[in-house]
Every structure is written in structure tokens, then in C-alpha cells.
Amino acid sequence: MKTGFLKWKPDYDSAASEYGKAAVAFKNAKQFEQAKDACLREAVAHENNRALFHAAKAYEQAGMMLKEMQKLPEAVHLIEKASMMYLENGTPDTAAMALERAGKLIENVDPEKAVQLYQQTANVFENEERLRQAVELLGKASRLLVRGRRFDEAALSIQKEKNIYKEIENYPTCYKKTIAQVLVHLHRNDYVAAERCVRESYSIPGFSGSEDCAALEQLLEGYDQQDQDQVSEVCSSPLFKYMDNDYAKLGLSLVVPGGGIKKKAPATPQAKPDGVSTAAAEEEEDEYSGGLC
């Protein structure tokens, strides 16, 4: 890095290589703070040498050293910085993988940040028209939103998943996403939105004759009729129980409005007074049995 009379410019390439070797040595010695500092110096040297990809790798490695030190927010910050450099370098796949790795690191500490990272990753994959990878990351974000009971955002996220599955013609998964949507909307106390989800899904090939459709119609009927037993029976069926755990829990915890009291059936006709003969009563009841004419 030093310059002199015969060396006018620092040799950033050689410096980066030496910092990289130092980082590995510190890491092997479990001296993670020094390893992190060496990685950061390596990254700066690569940046000065305009080697963006290698600089990003060094920042990512520095982030992993912070992870070993249990400094997760700082680790995620450096990995995000690395992913931006990967994008700038024209390697979006590597950027997406880095963002996903950051999401996994922070998921149990800061779910809100993890949701943001997974959505960013999905956007990168979607821009590259890698829809299967994009929808997988959206699914992770949706489940975290449900776990955090952020149902409004979860409903939008699941709808985006469903649109992509429809685009790639994975129709059976669309049915499952409709179930997830309905459960989320019912937990939002929005019966109208839940019903609309089912109605709109009739346009998906095969949905109307599927067991998913039949179960959802039964669920909505029970919810509308305030029949907790019917709702619980549907939500305890294998179709619901073997969904992703977060959605299965939504089903098992679903409570209908009004405390689950069934709507009352029409009252039975009162008995005729003793003074009215049975024959008269029958005649009165059958007066229009043949129709109005």
C-alpha cells in the first residue's frame, strides 16, 4: 500500500490478496474481530482496484465474521451492502443469494427485517424472470407476516404468490394459496374478502371441482351461519392440518363471530288450543295444499 519515489501508486491487488490471507488466518484462530477488520480492508482494496465482485465477496465475509460474534444487525447491514455491489457488478443471482442468506440470519431476531430482505430477494429473481425462486421467497415472507399477525400485509403477499403460481400454471398450489388467503381474511374479520377470494378462484382451471373448493365453501357457510362446530370440523381436516404450520395454526385458532352460537332455526308452530279439533286443524293447514287455484 505504501508509495515512494519509485512507486507512485499503491498496489491494491497485492494488498487485497494479503488482507484476504490475514482474514483466513484470523478466522482459523477464532479471532473474529480481527478477521472482520481484515475483510473490510480487503474490500476497500478491491474497491480501489475497481474489482466490485471481489469487494462484495469481502464485505459478505466480514458480515459472516460479525455473525460469529452474534452481531446480527451489523452482519446483515454488510451483507446488504455486498448484495448491492453484486447487482452493480451485473451478477443478480449472487446478489439474491446474499440477501436470502441475510434474511435467514435475522429471521428469529428481527422478523420484520427478514420479510423486507425476502421481498427484496423475490424482486431480484422476478426481474430475472426466475419466477419459481421468486415465489419461494415470497412464501417465506408471507409466513413470517402471518406469524407476526400482520394480516393485511400477509393477504397482499399471498395474492402475489398466487398470481405467480397461476402464471407458471401450478394450479394445485393456487388452490392451497386460496385456502391460506381465506384463513387470513377471516382472521381479519373480513368475510366479504374471503368470499371474493373463493369466487375469483373459480376461474383457475380445476378449482371448482376440487376438494379445496368444497372445503372452502363449507368453511364459509359455517362461518356465515356462526356454526363453530362446522368451522372447526373443516379446519381440523387433513386438507387444512397438513398445510404449512403457520396456516394450519390459523385454521385451528379460527373462531366465528358471535361466540360460535348457531343462528336459531325457525320456531316450530305452537300447539292448537284444546277447543279446536284435530280435523279442523288439518283442514286449515291443507287449505292451499293443492296450490292457490
Side-chain angles (χ1 to χ4, degrees), residues 14 43 115 133 183 191 233 240:
S14 298
V115 166
Q133 289 90 338
L183 289 172
Y191 176 84
E233 184 181 346
F240 281 66

Side-chain angles (χ1 to χ4, degrees), residues 28-261:
N28 291 339
K30 307 292 183 187
Q31 296 182 33
F32 298 118
E33 181 69 41
Q34 291 93 328
K36 181 259 297 180
D37 289 340
C39 286
L40 290 175
R41 292 186 181 196
E42 179 191 358
V44 171
H46 280 307
E47 279 188 277
N48 287 326
N49 210 31
R50 297 180 183 176
L52 285 182
F53 183 86
H54 296 295
K57 272 287 181 193
Y59 278 123
E60 194 176 352
Q61 283 301 310
M64 298 314 287
M65 295 306 104
L66 285 164
K67 174 217 167 190
E68 295 293 340
M69 296 156 64
Q70 296 302 308
K71 296 181 178 180
L72 297 181
E74 295 95 325
V76 166
H77 174 72
L78 283 181
I79 296 172
E80 277 190 282
K81 183 173 182 174
S83 73
M84 294 303 105
M85 294 184 81
Y86 286 133
L87 284 174
E88 192 178 344
N89 184 64
T91 48
D93 284 1
T94 315
M97 287 188 283
L99 286 171
E100 184 180 1
R101 199 173 294 121
K104 286 177 181 175
L105 282 183
I106 204 75
E107 189 172 302
N108 294 324
V109 178
D110 187 351
E112 190 171 342
K113 181 65 176 177
V115 166
Q116 180 192 330
L117 290 166
Y118 288 144
Q119 288 173 338
Q120 280 181 258
T121 312
N123 287 337
V124 173
F125 279 131
E126 199 172 354
N127 290 337
E128 294 300 304
E129 296 186 355
R130 296 180 59 179
L131 297 183
R132 294 181 192 280
Q133 289 90 338
V135 79
E136 185 182 333
L137 272 296
L138 280 175
K140 289 185 178 184
S142 298
R143 290 191 291 276
L144 280 177
L145 288 167
V146 166
R147 207 174 302 166
R149 304 192 74 79
R150 294 160 62 187
F151 293 130
D152 291 349
E153 295 168 77
L156 295 173
S157 183
I158 296 169
Q159 181 62 50
K160 191 168 184 182
E161 283 184 75
K162 190 173 165 183
N163 292 341
I164 294 178
Y165 279 119
K166 196 172 179 180
E167 189 175 341
I168 61 178
E169 298 183 354
N170 186 342
Y171 300 128
T173 305
C174 287
Y175 310 162
K176 300 292 179 267
K177 294 302 167 186
T178 303
I179 293 177
Q181 272 185 306
V182 167
L183 289 172
V184 166
H185 283 312
L186 293 181
H187 272 273
R188 293 173 62 234
N189 298 315
D190 193 342
Y191 176 84
V192 173
E195 190 179 35
R196 186 171 60 246
C197 279
V198 176
R199 195 167 58 247
E200 289 173 351
S201 294
Y202 289 140
S203 63
I204 300 171
F207 177 74
S208 59
S210 67
E211 61 174 341
D212 306 75
C213 177
L216 283 173
E217 287 174 348
Q218 193 179 355
L219 174 64
L220 290 175
E221 180 190 15
Y223 192 89
D224 186 44
Q225 296 297 320
Q226 298 183 341
D227 187 344
Q228 183 68 54
D229 291 340
Q230 183 171 325
V231 167
S232 298
E233 184 181 346
V234 174
C235 291
S236 300
S237 66
L239 186 65
F240 281 66
K241 279 172 66 177
Y242 297 122
M243 293 181 70
D244 286 319
N245 197 38
D246 293 297
Y247 300 124
K249 285 180 179 177
L250 281 189
L252 294 173
S253 62
L254 184 60
V255 177
V256 302
I261 301 169

